[in-house]
Amino acid sequence: VRPDQRTKTPSFYKVLIHNDDFTPRDFVVHVLQRFFKKDETAATQLMLQIHHKGVGVAGVYTFEIAGTKAYQVNEYSKQNGYPLRTTVEKDT
């Protein structure tokens, strides 16, 4: 008798970008292109969604990748003098 072997599907997490009143729109588009591989049109549309709704999903990844991307964006924003903030939230 073989034990029941099932591979558990990993949970996925959303990387959320939050709107603020200080980060320029061009920088948000740049971040979306650089860290989330969005083309210019998709990055601009997502930036506008973030601007109007206050938050937007930049991507959905496994926990480790989502955490790494959020950290990279937060650090990059700080290095460039902007308060742009990303968080990670479990995808439902």
Side-chain angles (χ1 to χ4, degrees), residues 17-59:
I17 297 185
H18 301 269
N19 187 48
D20 64 70
D21 294 332
F22 304 101
T23 305
R25 294 178 181 193
D26 291 341
F27 184 77
V28 177
V29 170
H30 168 72
V31 163
L32 290 168
Q33 290 178 305
R34 178 175 177 161
F35 294 98
F36 300 98
K37 307 299 182 217
K38 306 283 187 197
D39 62 39
E40 188 170 357
T41 302
T44 301
Q45 288 175 344
L46 183 52
M47 175 275 298
L48 289 171
Q49 177 190 351
I50 293 164
H51 180 70
H52 293 293
K53 294 185 177 181
V55 68
V57 178

Side-chain angles (χ1 to χ4, degrees), residues 27 34 71-82:
F27 184 77
R34 178 175 177 161
Y71 174 79
Q72 288 174 332
V73 171
N74 290 339
E75 287 300 306
Y76 185 72
S77 298
K78 264 192 254 179
Q79 290 170 0
N80 285 278
Y82 298 118

Side-chain angles (χ1 to χ4, degrees), residues 11 19 31 43 63 69 91:
S11 297
N19 187 48
V31 163
F63 180 74
K69 287 191 177 283
D91 192 28

